Amino acid sequence: MITTAEQAVSVVGEAARSGATVAVRGGGHGFEDFTANQGVRVLLDMSEMDHVDYDPVRDAFAVEAGSTLGHLYRALFKGWGVTVPGGECPEVGVGGHLIGGGYGPLSRRYGAVVDFLYGVEVVVVDEDRNARLVVATREPDDPHHDLWWAHTGGGGGNFGVVTRFWLRSPEAGRTGPREILPPAPRMWRSRAEIWSWDSLDEETFRRVLSNFGSWFETHSSPGSPSTGITGFLHASPRHGHGVVVGAMADDDVPQVTELLDDLFDSVRAGVAPSPMRTESVRPWLEFSAYPGWGDPGGPDTRRIKIKAAYMRRGFSDEQISTAYRYLTTDEPHESQLILIGYGGEVNAVDPPRTATAQRDSVLKAAYMSVWGVAEDDDHNIRHLREFYREVYADTGGVPGLDGPTDGSYINYPDSDLADPAWNRSGLPWHDLYYKENYPRLQAVKKRYDPGDFFHHALSIRLPQEPGA
């Protein structure tokens, strides 16, 4: 259990000198075995480092790396009435979420959460295996500027152990704690329409998914009024609820009801079966910070596999047919498909400005399987792998970088992308995650972790390594 930055330096230094592999855990939401790995000998639990406060020297909010998103939202809201556009699962750790380029229901309106990252405090290890603490900021003249940049989407477990973040809006000229982050919503409006599988044949399923994708293709430009709302489509396995289309927004967004009506009217166009509808307006803090909201597996989930894609356009008819077949098969499985609204202000940022390279997508896709016991591992993982591979059959079983997709999302890590049995595209896994930003990330790795002390299956490789 780590409680101070100095303690982290001490533990990392001792581990480095002894050659013990180190991993870090914050909220505990790990989709690969980067922490739960037999090779890890020292696991740094950061959960006690969760202090959030305003730093007047840097005119930024200092957030210790063990904070969860829910704790961060509560602290910012109760203390200053502000927030950041992070994810909607309050039990996710801030550390991994920020480093991997996190996003959430306010990102279409305000941008990716890394766009608000002002600085990081990191324990790094030099070539002599000595640990030290480095502070890196986005100031152009900061000698450690590139280390800050690497943490704006470079992924966790690559460069060191982050002990503290500083958050501040990217716009200049703001001063004081109530001015340097976006105002938190007062009330949060949510609407959902649900089609049961009994009401969905393949043509109806195709129409709903196609309409949903088309709406985000035409309503995701930066500055568009429609970026004030976001949405999702969740298709369950056959034994589940069916297909849910949901949308959310700050209830004070101008014409919020009309914007939601436009989305749902568009999704229902040409769809004969009438969905069940729910709508609620509740306090922002209830939505954003209460445990359980946004956690698809619930607090007892132990086994999960997830795969992802950035999408510039919605699915083709052939891809939708593939999804329908895999979701509705009589073969027992737990595969789910989730489409999440993206774009808007996220896409106002030039790709080289942060390590988050995908800046023209309008949707993210998540293919997820959640189950309870080890005996079901092989079956559920195989079904999800084959589902994903067939959706992207035209691009080698993975979401390509040209055309309707733009690679994958490192915060949903998927080691299959580094396995030629599942990735036959000819594109290396690191290009799918980082695109043209990868060589710069390698240079940061060489400077701050020259001995590759921090590593895992999808960690940034040193530039001199074969196959890097």
Side-chain angles (χ1 to χ4, degrees), residues 336-361:
Q336 309 168 42
L337 172 64
I338 307 171
L339 300 179
I340 306 129
Y342 201 57
E345 291 309 305
V346 172
N347 292 348
V349 176
D350 291 335
R353 181 171 152 189
T354 66
T356 301
Q358 290 87 352
R359 293 288 186 167
D360 64 355
S361 294

Side-chain angles (χ1 to χ4, degrees), residues 2 50 59 62 80 96 111 117 119 131 170 175 189 205 212 214 224 228 293 303 319 379 387 394 407 421:
I2 300 299
D50 64 355
D59 194 22
W80 302 275
L117 182 62
T175 58
R189 181 175 291 271
F205 180 80
F212 183 86
S214 295
S224 164
W293 287 110
R303 317 194 75 78
Q319 288 175 316
H379 174 78
F387 178 10
D394 290 345

Side-chain angles (χ1 to χ4, degrees), residues 174-243:
R174 294 187 172 192
T175 58
R178 297 182 183 274
E179 303 294 330
I180 58 172
L181 288 178
R186 181 183 57 87
M187 301 294 287
W188 192 247
R189 181 175 291 271
S190 302
R191 185 187 298 181
E193 295 190 351
I194 307 165
W195 287 267
S196 69
W197 279 120
D198 291 341
S199 68
L200 289 169
D201 57 18
E202 184 174 344
E203 179 56 35
T204 305
F205 180 80
R206 177 182 292 110
R207 177 71 67 175
V208 171
L209 264 68
S210 179
N211 289 348
F212 183 86
S214 295
W215 191 91
F216 279 93
E217 288 175 25
T218 57
H219 293 80
S220 297
S221 299
S224 164
S226 297
T227 60
I229 68 171
T230 190
F232 68 89
L233 184 151
H234 183 190
S236 75
R238 183 77 189 194
H239 61 77
H241 54 249
V243 175

Side-chain angles (χ1 to χ4, degrees), residues 262-335:
D262 182 64
L263 169 60
F264 284 96
D265 289 347
S266 297
V267 171
R268 275 189 267 100
V271 177
S274 297
M276 181 180 74
R277 177 170 170 173
T278 67
E279 186 157 0
S280 66
V281 180
R282 60 187 189 269
W284 160 251
L285 206 59
E286 178 182 326
F287 166 80
S288 63
Y290 283 8
W293 287 110
D295 187 346
D300 297 325
T301 297
R302 291 295 179 267
R303 317 194 75 78
I304 188 168
K305 176 69 176 176
I306 193 165
K307 305 170 86 67
Y310 283 96
M311 301 174 63
R312 297 185 177 101
R313 297 196 294 276
F315 286 130
S316 68
D317 284 350
E318 184 177 357
Q319 288 175 316
I320 295 173
S321 293
T322 298
Y324 182 82
R325 186 170 72 254
Y326 271 89
L327 291 168
T328 61
T329 178
D330 291 333
E331 176 188 359
H333 69 89
E334 298 298 335
S335 298

Side-chain angles (χ1 to χ4, degrees), residues 146-171:
D146 275 0
L147 184 62
W148 162 84
W149 177 87
H151 286 85
T152 62
N158 283 312
F159 311 102
V161 177
V162 178
T163 54
R164 193 182 322 271
F165 300 93
W166 284 271
L167 302 176
R168 192 171 78 191
S169 172
E171 290 89 2

Side-chain angles (χ1 to χ4, degrees), residues 98-102 114 148-155 354-357 410 433-434 441:
L98 276 165
I99 296 169
V114 295
W148 162 84
W149 177 87
H151 286 85
T152 62
T354 66
T356 301
I410 192 59
Y433 285 123
Y434 302 117
L441 289 167

